[in-house]
Amino acid sequence: MFRSSNIVSRIFERQIRTPAPGTSVHCARQFYENLVPSCTIYDIECPDHSFRKFTDDGRYLISFSRNHQDLIVYRPTWLSFSCKEEDCDFHDLPSKAKRFESFFTQLYCVSLASSNELICKDFFLYVESNQFGLFATSTAQIHDAPAIGGAIQGVPSIEKITFHLVRLEDGVILDEKTIHILQIRDSGNLVDVRAIGAFCREDDELFLNSHAQCMVFVDKSKQHDLSANQVENGLQSHQNMPGTPFLSGIKQRLLSFIFRGIWNEETDHTMRVQCLKKKFYFHFQDYVDLSMSKVQFLDRHHLLIKFGSVDGGVSRNTDHHPAFFAVYNMETTEVIAFYQNSADELYFLFEQFCDHFHATSRNLLYMNFISSHSNNIHALEQLRGIKNKSSSFSQFVKKMLTSLPFSCQSQSPSPYFDQCLFRFDEKLISAADRHRQSTDHPIKFISRKHPNSLKFKIKPGPEAGGLDGRTKKISSFLFHPFLPLALSIQQTFLQPSVVNIHFRR
């Protein structure tokens, strides 16, 4: 819409021209090319906290204490100061600008974890309609836990995980639960929904327990008759008849789906038997040994579940360990799709409908403008470039599908990650919520409309760079969802974190 990149010309042009139907929001977002966080305050004086993220509505900055016991919540404000001279933009900022409190106001500090628990610093979900925050605490990992009570041999076990529902406005803890799937009520309560694994329906456990009691009664009667018969014949046996344990409910559903899929591949009985031997019975134990490693909601009723071997779950290199994805309907308790992590069909679904794997907000309009290769031509071209450079399409598919299932609320809605507006190096920074290897060079954000126009730079760490270039440094970036405000945090082993604030002056 805009013919000029000058902000005054754009404002005047907005008054006299009407954008094309359905493009008003896109046109309004173009103003972010002029409103950028181009000013940086390096190594700001701030509390020694672990900063997590901004809430999606931009009201709160979430952080945790270094001992992972306390939750500290801040309200983003803005640096304000007076200048009596002309050309204030060229004068140095006042000394108070070096303080964290000039940009953020602490609302409260509340203790979440007990003495034997720690806050899970990578877990936080926000319910913007009620301004609730969902946090988690857990006991320490047990690395040599016995394989009982659902634990898996070789996988670290956690004795207790607790979810805490906090009203972020005042820090009141509304509810606590230790459950698998929960529903958040408007009243601020966590309601047990169900636990999927050993059982699939609410009454499965009751049915199996009553069935087991009947079987015990029958077995005792049989053993009594058998013992009496053996005594009469001069024989005595002390051996029990061990019962065969059931597979878990979800594993029963999975095996049934795989069996039916292979059964329907062939119509000839002989070929069907041969096919089952090769594809099902030969790999039967491998399917039985699969364990759930990650789950996400696709919608209200469907889950995307990642299955893998125990070795693949604890190993950093998963190339040699097969992984599978299953789509599970919680209401009907049926598996409706099953893919290996190298399946072309699943990859093409991921490429064309990537946004369907992300749950979007119904209340915040700007949450619908997070760039992906399903809705942005520039992101799609970048993905295709990576695919064309790959030597093996199968390995490329595996690499792309490692991100599934997606973690909820794991992408920043900041307009500065909109690939229709800016171009940047995604190896160094992106909308994805994860740590990255730091660099001493600034990260450039270049205008997509004017490829030679540098709009702003983000540089983590000290202004002069690190003294030792060989030391490994990790950086994370927290962008406000709609303001030209960002935090960069650089962490170096056995050294204090360096926090920089980037804002529009």
Side-chain angles (χ1 to χ4, degrees):
M1 171 182 173
F2 298 115
R3 300 174 181 176
S4 172
S5 59
N6 181 275
I7 188 170
V8 177
S9 299
R10 286 185 167 186
I11 293 174
F12 178 73
E13 194 172 353
R14 183 180 63 176
Q15 292 177 333
I16 62 176
R17 296 183 63 192
T18 302
T23 64
S24 58
V25 177
H26 290 279
C27 293
R29 287 172 65 86
Q30 292 182 25
F31 279 97
Y32 279 107
E33 295 177 336
N34 303 95
L35 307 172
V36 297
S38 55
C39 183
T40 300
I41 299 179
Y42 292 92
D43 199 6
I44 196 167
E45 300 172 7
C46 69
D48 187 20
H49 295 159
S50 175
F51 296 101
R52 179 63 184 92
K53 66 180 296 186
F54 288 98
T55 55
D56 288 340
D57 59 5
R59 293 171 180 259
Y60 308 101
L61 174 65
I62 306 300
S63 66
F64 306 120
S65 60
R66 283 296 178 186
N67 62 1
H68 298 152
Q69 297 284 317
D70 302 324
L71 164 69
I72 305 100
V73 175
Y74 292 90
R75 173 86 71 188
T77 54
W78 202 260
L79 176 66
S80 60
F81 61 94
S82 60
C83 179
K84 299 180 181 180
E85 303 177 14
E86 296 182 357
D87 298 330
C88 293
D89 290 342
F90 298 97
H91 286 273
D92 292 336
L93 293 172
S95 58
K96 73 172 186 177
K98 290 282 291 180
R99 297 197 299 269
F100 185 82
E101 293 76 15
S102 298
F103 293 87
F104 299 93
T105 301
Q106 180 175 326
L107 298 181
Y108 52 83
C109 174
V110 59
S111 179
L112 283 186
S114 60
S115 59
N116 64 333
E117 291 183 323
L118 297 175
I119 295 176
C120 303
K121 61 184 180 66
D122 294 325
F123 179 84
F124 165 66
L125 296 177
Y126 183 58
V127 185
E128 77 273 1
S129 59
N130 302 90
Q131 297 183 37
F132 293 157
L134 187 64
F135 303 88
T137 59
S138 70
T139 54
Q141 291 187 357
I142 304 173
H143 292 274
D144 54 350
I148 57 175
I152 301 174
Q153 189 69 39
V155 178
S157 176
I158 298 176
E159 182 180 356
K160 180 185 178 184
I161 299 176
T162 306
F163 294 107
H164 306 261
L165 189 64
V166 179
R167 187 168 59 206
L168 293 183
E169 182 181 8
D170 50 16
V172 174
I173 300 176
L174 301 173
D175 206 349
E176 297 179 356
K177 281 287 191 299
T178 56
I179 53 183
H180 291 80
I181 294 179
L182 55 88
Q183 183 183 30
I184 300 176
R185 293 283 177 86
D186 292 339
S187 59
N189 297 108
L190 298 173
V191 181
D192 294 9
V193 178
R194 68 186 61 183
I196 297 173
F199 311 108
C200 295
R201 297 187 186 274
E202 290 85 348
D203 59 348
D204 280 358
E205 185 175 11
L206 176 63
F207 173 79
L208 290 176
N209 287 339
S210 60
H211 180 71
Q213 291 175 0
C214 294
M215 291 299 294
V216 169
F217 177 77
V218 172
D219 288 343
K220 286 183 176 180
S221 301
K222 288 182 178 180
Q223 290 177 5
H224 176 75
D225 296 340
L226 181 62
S227 300
N229 188 35
Q230 289 174 338
V231 169
E232 290 177 1
N233 295 320
L235 299 173
Q236 185 71 36
S237 173
H238 297 282
Q239 295 181 352
N240 293 322
M241 300 172 62
T244 304
F246 287 110
L247 292 172
S248 65
I250 188 68
K251 199 65 65 66
Q252 290 273 9
R253 300 293 196 276
L254 180 63
L255 290 171
S256 299
F257 179 84
I258 297 171
F259 181 90
R260 290 196 305 270
I262 299 174
W263 177 275
N264 294 330
E265 287 180 4
E266 301 288 346
T267 56
D268 180 73
H269 178 72
T270 304
M271 295 297 297
R272 178 177 285 168
V273 171
Q274 293 297 325
C275 196
L276 284 170
K277 285 182 179 179
K278 279 198 289 185
K279 295 184 178 181
F280 184 75
Y281 294 111
F282 182 78
H283 298 287
F284 181 82
Q285 192 58 46
D286 295 329
Y287 291 137
V288 170
D289 292 338
L290 291 176
S291 60
M292 289 188 287
S293 59
K294 197 174 182 182
V295 182
Q296 76 163 95
F297 277 102
L298 294 175
D299 56 34
R300 187 177 181 85
H301 304 298
H302 294 89
L303 299 176
L304 178 65
I305 305 175
K306 184 176 183 178
F307 289 92
S309 64
V310 176
D311 294 335
V314 298
S315 172
R316 289 175 177 257
N317 184 10
T318 58
D319 292 340
H320 303 293
H321 302 285
F324 302 88
F325 297 94
V327 179
Y328 177 76
N329 188 315
M330 292 195 303
E331 298 302 314
T332 63
T333 71
E334 293 178 328
V335 174
I336 61 175
F338 185 67
Y339 306 96
Q340 193 165 352
N341 63 339
S342 58
D344 297 355
E345 181 182 358
L346 180 59
Y347 168 73
F348 289 126
L349 289 173
F350 171 72
E351 180 179 291
Q352 298 175 32
F353 306 102
C354 179
D355 294 341
H356 290 261
F357 291 90
H358 289 285
T360 57
S361 171
R362 291 177 292 180
N363 301 319
L364 302 174
L365 179 62
Y366 52 80
M367 294 294 294
N368 297 319
F369 291 87
I370 299 176
S371 297
S372 73
H373 45 75
S374 300
N375 62 34
N376 187 282
I377 185 62
H378 306 290
L380 180 59
E381 289 177 352
Q382 188 175 20
L383 177 68
R384 289 175 175 172
I386 299 173
K387 179 166 60 176
N388 295 333
K389 294 178 182 178
S390 177
S391 57
S392 169
F393 181 72
S394 176
Q395 292 299 320
F396 166 78
V397 170
K398 287 183 179 180
K399 182 179 179 181
M400 291 295 105
L401 296 182
T402 52
S403 58
L404 294 179
F406 284 127
S407 299
C408 189
Q409 300 180 5
S410 61
Q411 290 190 303
S412 170
S414 171
Y416 303 106
F417 293 124
D418 188 341
Q419 297 199 36
C420 288
L421 301 177
F422 300 98
R423 178 167 55 88
F424 46 86
D425 189 348
E426 287 206 71
K427 295 179 181 177
L428 303 177
I429 193 171
S430 75
D433 180 16
R434 63 184 180 89
H435 292 79
R436 299 172 185 273
Q437 188 166 347
S438 186
T439 174
D440 290 331
H441 303 287
I443 303 171
K444 299 179 180 179
F445 285 73
I446 300 171
S447 170
R448 182 69 72 176
K449 188 176 181 181
H450 305 283
N452 298 323
S453 176
L454 174 65
K455 289 300 182 180
F456 68 99
K457 296 182 288 186
I458 294 287
K459 184 182 183 303
E463 183 175 10
L467 299 177
D468 187 1
R470 297 171 298 177
T471 304
K472 186 176 180 180
K473 298 179 286 291
I474 300 297
S475 291
S476 58
F477 304 91
L478 309 181
F479 276 72
H480 193 276
F482 54 84
L483 294 178
L485 175 66
L487 294 178
S488 63
I489 302 105
Q490 186 183 84
Q491 301 175 20
T492 308
F493 184 64
L494 295 179
Q495 294 184 20
S497 300
V498 177
V499 179
N500 299 340
I501 290 186
H502 314 270
F503 67 104
R504 182 177 187 268
R505 181 171 174 176

